[in-house]
Coordinates of all heavy atoms in Angstrom, one line a residue:
M30 N 108.6 112.7 105.4 CA 107.3 112.5 106.0 C 107.2 111.1 106.6 O 108.0 110.2 106.2 CB 106.3 112.6 104.8 CG 106.0 114.0 104.4 SD 104.7 114.1 103.1 CE 103.3 113.5 104.0
K31 N 106.2 111.0 107.5 CA 106.0 109.7 108.1 C 105.4 108.7 107.1 O 104.5 109.1 106.4 CB 105.1 109.9 109.3 CG 104.9 108.7 110.2 CD 104.1 109.0 111.4 CE 104.0 107.8 112.3 NZ 103.2 108.2 113.5
V32 N 105.9 107.5 107.1 CA 105.4 106.5 106.2 C 104.1 105.9 106.8 O 104.1 105.4 107.9 CB 106.4 105.3 105.9 CG1 105.9 104.3 105.0 CG2 107.7 105.9 105.4
K33 N 103.0 105.9 106.0 CA 101.8 105.3 106.5 C 101.6 103.9 105.9 O 101.9 103.6 104.8 CB 100.6 106.2 106.0 CG 100.5 107.5 106.7 CD 99.3 108.3 106.4 CE 99.2 109.5 107.2 NZ 97.9 110.2 106.9
T34 N 100.9 103.1 106.7 CA 100.6 101.7 106.2 C 99.4 101.8 105.3 O 98.5 102.4 105.6 CB 100.3 100.8 107.5 OG1 101.4 100.9 108.4 CG2 100.0 99.4 107.1
R35 N 99.5 101.0 104.2 CA 98.3 100.9 103.3 C 97.4 99.8 104.0 O 97.8 98.7 104.0 CB 98.7 100.5 101.9 CG 99.5 101.5 101.2 CD 99.4 101.3 99.8 NE 100.2 102.3 99.1 CZ 100.2 102.5 97.8 NH1 99.4 101.8 97.0 NH2 100.9 103.4 97.2
S36 N 96.2 100.3 104.4 CA 95.3 99.4 105.1 C 94.8 98.2 104.3 O 94.6 97.1 104.8 CB 94.2 100.2 105.7 OG 93.4 100.8 104.7
A37 N 94.6 98.4 103.0 CA 94.2 97.3 102.1 C 95.2 96.2 102.1 O 94.9 95.0 102.1 CB 93.9 97.9 100.7
V38 N 96.5 96.6 102.1 CA 97.6 95.6 102.0 C 97.7 94.9 103.4 O 97.9 93.7 103.5 CB 98.9 96.3 101.6 CG1 100.1 95.3 101.7 CG2 98.8 96.8 100.2
A39 N 97.5 95.7 104.5 CA 97.6 95.1 105.8 C 96.5 94.1 106.0 O 96.7 93.1 106.7 CB 97.4 96.2 106.8
H40 N 95.3 94.2 105.4 CA 94.3 93.2 105.6 C 94.5 92.0 104.8 O 94.1 90.9 105.2 CB 92.9 93.8 105.1 CG 92.3 94.8 106.0 ND1 91.9 94.5 107.3 CD2 92.1 96.1 105.9 CE1 91.5 95.6 107.8 NE2 91.6 96.6 107.0
R41 N 95.2 92.1 103.6 CA 95.4 91.0 102.7 C 96.6 90.1 102.9 O 96.6 89.0 102.5 CB 95.4 91.5 101.3 CG 94.0 91.9 100.8 CD 94.1 92.6 99.4 NE 92.8 92.9 98.9 CZ 92.1 94.0 99.2 NH1 92.5 94.8 100.1 NH2 90.9 94.2 98.7
F42 N 97.6 90.7 103.6 CA 98.9 90.0 103.7 C 99.3 89.9 105.2 O 98.9 90.8 106.0 CB 100.0 90.7 102.9 CG 99.7 90.7 101.4 CD1 99.1 91.8 100.8 CD2 100.1 89.6 100.6 CE1 98.8 91.8 99.5 CE2 99.8 89.6 99.3 CZ 99.2 90.7 98.7
K43 N 100.1 88.9 105.5 CA 100.6 88.7 106.8 C 102.1 88.5 106.7 O 102.6 87.8 105.9 CB 100.0 87.5 107.5 CG 100.4 87.2 108.9 CD 99.8 85.9 109.4 CE 100.2 85.7 110.8 NZ 101.0 84.6 111.0
I44 N 102.8 89.1 107.7 CA 104.3 89.0 107.7 C 104.6 88.1 108.9 O 104.2 88.3 110.0 CB 105.0 90.4 107.9 CG1 104.5 91.4 106.9 CG2 106.5 90.2 107.9 CD1 104.8 91.1 105.5
T45 N 105.5 87.1 108.6 CA 105.9 86.1 109.7 C 107.0 86.7 110.5 O 107.6 87.8 110.1 CB 106.3 84.8 109.1 OG1 107.5 85.0 108.3 CG2 105.2 84.1 108.3
K46 N 107.4 86.1 111.6 CA 108.6 86.6 112.4 C 109.8 86.6 111.6 O 110.7 87.5 111.8 CB 108.8 85.6 113.6 CG 107.8 85.9 114.7 CD 108.2 85.1 115.9 CE 107.3 85.4 117.1 NZ 107.7 84.6 118.3
R47 N 110.0 85.7 110.7 CA 111.2 85.6 109.8 C 111.2 86.6 108.7 O 112.1 86.7 107.9 CB 111.4 84.2 109.3 CG 111.5 83.2 110.4 CD 112.9 82.7 110.6 NE 113.0 81.7 111.6 CZ 114.1 81.5 112.3 NH1 115.2 82.2 112.0 NH2 114.1 80.6 113.2
G48 N 110.0 87.2 108.5 CA 109.9 88.2 107.4 C 109.3 87.7 106.1 O 109.4 88.4 105.1
K49 N 108.8 86.5 106.1 CA 108.1 86.0 104.9 C 106.7 86.7 104.8 O 106.1 87.0 105.8 CB 107.9 84.5 105.0 CG 109.2 83.7 105.0 CD 108.9 82.3 105.1 CE 110.2 81.5 105.2 NZ 110.0 80.1 105.5
V50 N 106.3 86.9 103.5 CA 105.0 87.5 103.3 C 104.0 86.3 102.8 O 104.3 85.6 101.9 CB 105.1 88.5 102.1 CG1 103.8 89.2 101.9 CG2 106.2 89.6 102.5
L51 N 102.9 86.2 103.6 CA 101.9 85.2 103.3 C 100.6 85.8 102.7 O 100.3 86.9 103.1 CB 101.6 84.4 104.5 CG 102.8 83.7 105.2 CD1 102.3 83.0 106.5 CD2 103.4 82.7 104.3
R52 N 100.0 85.1 101.8 CA 98.7 85.5 101.2 C 97.7 84.4 101.2 O 98.1 83.2 101.3 CB 99.0 86.0 99.8 CG 99.4 84.9 98.9 CD 99.4 85.3 97.4 NE 99.9 84.2 96.6 CZ 99.3 83.2 96.2 NH1 98.0 83.0 96.5 NH2 99.8 82.3 95.4
R53 N 96.5 84.7 101.0 CA 95.4 83.7 100.9 C 95.4 83.3 99.4 O 95.9 84.0 98.5 CB 94.1 84.3 101.2 CG 93.9 84.5 102.7 CD 92.4 84.8 103.0 NE 91.9 86.0 102.2 CZ 92.0 87.2 102.6 NH1 92.5 87.5 103.8 NH2 91.5 88.2 101.9
T54 N 94.7 82.1 99.2 CA 94.6 81.6 97.8 C 93.5 82.3 97.1 O 92.5 82.7 97.7 CB 94.3 80.1 97.8 OG1 95.2 79.5 98.7 CG2 94.4 79.5 96.5
Q55 N 93.6 82.5 95.8 CA 92.6 83.1 95.0 C 91.5 82.1 94.6 O 91.6 80.9 94.8 CB 93.2 83.7 93.7 CG 93.8 82.6 92.8 CD 94.6 83.2 91.6 OE1 94.8 84.4 91.5 NE2 95.0 82.3 90.7
N56 N 90.4 82.7 94.0 CA 89.3 81.9 93.5 C 88.5 81.1 94.6 O 88.0 80.0 94.3 CB 89.7 80.9 92.4 CG 90.3 81.7 91.2 OD1 90.0 82.8 90.9 ND2 91.3 81.1 90.6
M57 N 88.5 81.6 95.8 CA 87.8 80.8 96.8 C 86.7 81.6 97.5 O 86.2 81.3 98.6 CB 88.8 80.4 97.9 CG 89.5 79.1 97.5 SD 88.5 77.7 97.3 CE 89.2 76.8 96.0
R58 N 86.2 82.7 96.8 CA 85.1 83.5 97.4 C 83.7 82.9 97.2 O 82.9 82.9 98.1 CB 85.1 84.9 96.8 CG 86.3 85.8 97.2 CD 86.1 86.2 98.6 NE 87.1 87.2 99.0 CZ 87.1 87.8 100.1 NH1 86.2 87.6 101.0 NH2 88.1 88.7 100.4
H59 N 83.5 82.4 96.0 CA 82.2 81.8 95.7 C 82.3 80.7 94.7 O 83.4 80.5 94.2 CB 81.2 82.9 95.3 CG 81.6 83.6 94.1 ND1 81.0 83.4 92.9 CD2 82.6 84.5 93.9 CE1 81.6 84.2 92.0 NE2 82.5 84.9 92.5
L60 N 81.3 80.1 94.3 CA 81.3 79.0 93.4 C 82.1 77.8 93.8 O 82.9 77.2 93.1 CB 81.7 79.4 92.0 CG 80.9 80.5 91.3 CD1 81.6 81.0 90.0 CD2 79.5 80.1 91.1
R61 N 82.1 77.6 95.1 CA 83.0 76.6 95.7 C 82.5 75.1 95.5 O 83.2 74.2 95.6 CB 83.2 76.8 97.2 CG 84.1 78.0 97.4 CD 84.1 78.4 98.9 NE 84.8 77.4 99.6 CZ 85.4 77.6 100.8 NH1 85.6 78.8 101.2 NH2 85.9 76.6 101.4
R62 N 81.2 75.0 95.3 CA 80.7 73.6 95.1 C 81.2 72.9 93.9 O 81.2 71.7 93.8 CB 79.1 73.6 95.2 CG 78.4 74.2 94.0 CD 77.0 74.3 94.4 NE 76.4 75.5 93.6 CZ 76.0 75.4 92.4 NH1 75.9 74.2 91.8 NH2 75.6 76.4 91.8
K63 N 81.6 73.7 92.9 CA 82.2 73.2 91.6 C 83.6 72.6 91.9 O 84.0 71.7 91.2 CB 82.3 74.2 90.6 CG 81.0 74.7 90.0 CD 81.4 75.8 88.9 CE 80.1 76.4 88.3 NZ 80.5 77.4 87.3
K64 N 84.2 73.2 92.9 CA 85.6 72.8 93.1 C 85.7 71.5 93.9 O 84.9 71.2 94.7 CB 86.3 74.0 93.8 CG 86.4 75.2 93.0 CD 86.9 76.4 93.8 CE 87.0 77.6 92.9 NZ 85.7 78.3 92.7
S65 N 86.8 70.8 93.7 CA 87.0 69.6 94.5 C 87.3 69.9 95.9 O 87.8 70.9 96.3 CB 88.1 68.7 93.9 OG 89.4 69.4 94.1
K66 N 87.0 68.9 96.8 CA 87.2 69.1 98.2 C 88.7 69.2 98.5 O 89.2 69.9 99.4 CB 86.7 67.9 99.0 CG 85.3 67.6 98.9 CD 84.4 68.8 99.3 CE 83.0 68.6 99.1 NZ 82.2 69.8 99.0
K67 N 89.5 68.6 97.6 CA 91.0 68.6 97.8 C 91.5 70.1 97.5 O 92.3 70.6 98.2 CB 91.6 67.7 96.8 CG 93.1 67.6 96.9 CD 93.7 66.6 95.8 CE 95.2 66.5 95.9 NZ 95.7 65.5 94.9
A68 N 90.9 70.7 96.5 CA 91.2 72.1 96.1 C 90.8 73.0 97.2 O 91.6 74.0 97.5 CB 90.6 72.5 94.8
I69 N 89.7 72.8 97.8 CA 89.2 73.7 98.9 C 90.1 73.6 100.1 O 90.4 74.6 100.7 CB 87.7 73.4 99.2 CG1 86.8 73.8 98.0 CG2 87.3 74.1 100.5 CD1 85.4 73.3 98.1
R70 N 90.5 72.3 100.4 CA 91.4 72.1 101.6 C 92.7 72.8 101.3 O 93.3 73.4 102.2 CB 91.6 70.6 101.9 CG 90.5 70.0 102.7 CD 90.9 68.7 103.2 NE 91.5 67.8 102.2 CZ 90.8 67.0 101.4 NH1 89.4 67.0 101.5 NH2 91.4 66.2 100.6
A71 N 93.2 72.6 100.1 CA 94.5 73.2 99.8 C 94.5 74.7 99.8 O 95.5 75.3 100.1 CB 95.0 72.7 98.4
S72 N 93.4 75.3 99.5 CA 93.3 76.8 99.5 C 93.3 77.4 100.9 O 93.6 78.6 101.1 CB 92.0 77.2 98.8 OG 90.9 76.9 99.7
K73 N 93.1 76.6 101.9 CA 93.1 77.1 103.3 C 94.5 77.3 103.8 O 94.7 78.1 104.8 CB 92.4 76.1 104.2 CG 90.9 76.1 104.0 CD 90.2 75.1 104.9 CE 88.7 75.1 104.6 NZ 88.0 74.1 105.4
I74 N 95.5 76.7 103.1 CA 96.9 76.9 103.5 C 97.4 78.2 102.9 O 97.3 78.4 101.7 CB 97.8 75.7 103.0 CG1 97.2 74.4 103.5 CG2 99.2 75.9 103.4 CD1 97.8 73.2 102.8
P75 N 98.0 79.1 103.8 CA 98.5 80.4 103.2 C 99.7 80.1 102.3 O 100.5 79.2 102.6 CB 98.9 81.2 104.4 CG 98.7 80.3 105.6 CD 98.1 79.1 105.2
H76 N 99.9 80.9 101.3 CA 101.0 80.7 100.3 C 101.9 81.9 100.5 O 101.5 83.0 100.9 CB 100.5 80.7 98.9 CG 99.7 79.5 98.6 ND1 100.2 78.2 98.3 CD2 98.3 79.2 98.5 CE1 99.3 77.3 98.1 NE2 98.1 77.9 98.2
Q77 N 103.2 81.6 100.2 CA 104.2 82.6 100.4 C 104.4 83.4 99.1 O 104.3 82.9 98.0 CB 105.6 81.9 100.6 CG 106.7 82.9 101.0 CD 108.0 82.2 101.3 OE1 108.0 81.0 101.4 NE2 109.0 82.9 101.4
V78 N 104.5 84.8 99.3 CA 104.8 85.7 98.2 C 106.3 85.8 98.1 O 106.9 86.0 99.1 CB 104.1 87.0 98.4 CG1 104.4 88.0 97.3 CG2 102.6 86.9 98.6
K79 N 106.8 85.7 96.9 CA 108.3 85.8 96.7 C 108.7 86.9 95.7 O 107.9 87.4 95.0 CB 108.8 84.4 96.2 CG 108.5 83.3 97.1 CD 109.0 82.0 96.5 CE 108.7 80.8 97.5 NZ 109.1 79.5 96.9
G80 N 110.0 87.1 95.8 CA 110.6 88.0 94.8 C 110.3 89.5 95.0 O 110.1 90.0 96.2
K81 N 110.2 90.2 93.9 CA 110.0 91.7 94.0 C 108.7 92.1 94.5 O 108.5 93.1 95.2 CB 110.2 92.3 92.6 CG 111.6 92.3 92.1 CD 111.7 93.0 90.8 CE 113.2 93.0 90.3 NZ 113.4 93.7 89.1
F82 N 107.7 91.2 94.3 CA 106.3 91.6 94.8 C 106.3 91.6 96.3 O 105.7 92.4 96.9 CB 105.3 90.6 94.2 CG 103.9 91.0 94.4 CD1 103.5 92.2 93.8 CD2 103.0 90.2 95.1 CE1 102.2 92.6 94.0 CE2 101.7 90.6 95.2 CZ 101.3 91.8 94.7
A83 N 107.0 90.6 96.9 CA 107.1 90.6 98.4 C 107.8 91.9 98.9 O 107.4 92.4 100.0 CB 107.9 89.4 98.8
K84 N 108.8 92.3 98.2 CA 109.5 93.5 98.6 C 108.6 94.7 98.5 O 108.6 95.6 99.4 CB 110.7 93.7 97.7 CG 111.8 94.6 98.3 CD 113.0 94.5 97.5 CE 114.2 95.2 98.1 NZ 115.4 95.2 97.3
K85 N 107.7 94.8 97.5 CA 106.8 95.9 97.3 C 105.8 95.9 98.5 O 105.4 97.0 99.0 CB 106.0 95.8 96.0 CG 106.8 96.2 94.8 CD 105.9 96.1 93.6 CE 106.7 96.5 92.3 NZ 105.8 96.4 91.1
I86 N 105.3 94.7 98.8 CA 104.3 94.6 99.9 C 104.9 95.1 101.2 O 104.2 95.8 102.0 CB 103.8 93.2 100.0 CG1 102.9 92.8 98.8 CG2 102.9 93.0 101.3 CD1 102.7 91.4 98.6
K87 N 106.1 94.7 101.5 CA 106.8 95.1 102.7 C 106.9 96.6 102.8 O 106.8 97.3 103.8 CB 108.1 94.5 102.9 CG 108.1 93.0 103.3 CD 109.5 92.5 103.5 CE 109.4 91.0 103.9 NZ 110.8 90.5 104.1
R88 N 107.2 97.2 101.6 CA 107.4 98.7 101.5 C 106.0 99.3 101.8 O 106.0 100.4 102.4 CB 107.9 99.1 100.1 CG 108.5 100.5 100.1 CD 109.1 100.8 98.8 NE 110.2 100.0 98.5 CZ 110.4 99.4 97.3 NH1 109.6 99.6 96.3 NH2 111.5 98.6 97.1
M89 N 104.9 98.8 101.3 CA 103.6 99.3 101.5 C 103.2 99.2 103.0 O 102.4 100.0 103.4 CB 102.6 98.6 100.6 CG 102.6 99.0 99.2 SD 101.3 98.3 98.3 CE 102.1 97.4 97.0
L90 N 103.7 98.2 103.7 CA 103.4 98.1 105.1 C 104.4 98.9 106.0 O 104.3 98.9 107.2 CB 103.5 96.6 105.5 CG 102.4 95.7 104.9 CD1 102.7 94.2 105.1 CD2 101.1 96.1 105.4
G91 N 105.4 99.5 105.3 CA 106.3 100.3 106.1 C 107.4 99.5 106.8 O 107.9 100.0 107.8
L92 N 107.7 98.4 106.3 CA 108.7 97.5 106.9 C 110.0 97.5 106.1 O 111.0 97.0 106.7 CB 108.2 96.1 107.0 CG 106.9 95.9 107.8 CD1 106.3 94.5 107.7 CD2 107.2 96.2 109.2
A93 N 110.1 97.9 104.9 CA 111.3 97.8 104.1 C 111.8 99.2 103.7 O 111.0 100.1 103.5 CB 111.2 96.9 102.9

């Protein structure tokens, strides 16, 4: 059967040209005024997903 992309995963993760999986930081939806400005700035940088979880995400996107 044809492999379908999981749309929820496609919205949450990004694949770079080199094949790295990037994600947004957690805990940044609300209650941001409690958090330090440094933490808020750091959360804007996408983080890399590594290991078996990255492999699972690629499989859900139909890339692996």
Side-chain angles (χ1 to χ4, degrees):
M30 284 180 66
K31 190 173 179 180
V32 178
K33 290 189 177 181
T34 302
R35 292 202 182 192
S36 59
V38 175
H40 287 295
R41 286 172 175 82
F42 297 95
K43 181 183 183 247
I44 308 294
T45 63
K46 279 187 178 180
R47 302 255 180 205
K49 294 177 184 176
V50 181
L51 301 178
R52 65 168 175 84
R53 287 191 304 270
T54 310
Q55 62 186 7
N56 301 327
M57 281 292 148
R58 288 285 187 178
H59 60 105
L60 303 176
R61 288 173 63 153
R62 70 192 150 87
K63 290 182 183 179
K64 297 172 176 81
S65 68
K66 301 300 177 205
K67 185 179 177 182
I69 292 171
R70 278 196 310 275
S72 72
K73 291 179 182 178
I74 302 165
H76 293 282
Q77 187 179 352
V78 180
K79 296 179 182 177
K81 289 186 178 181
F82 195 59
K84 202 170 186 179
K85 281 183 182 182
I86 290 165
K87 282 184 183 178
R88 197 174 300 132
M89 285 186 234
L90 292 171
L92 299 172

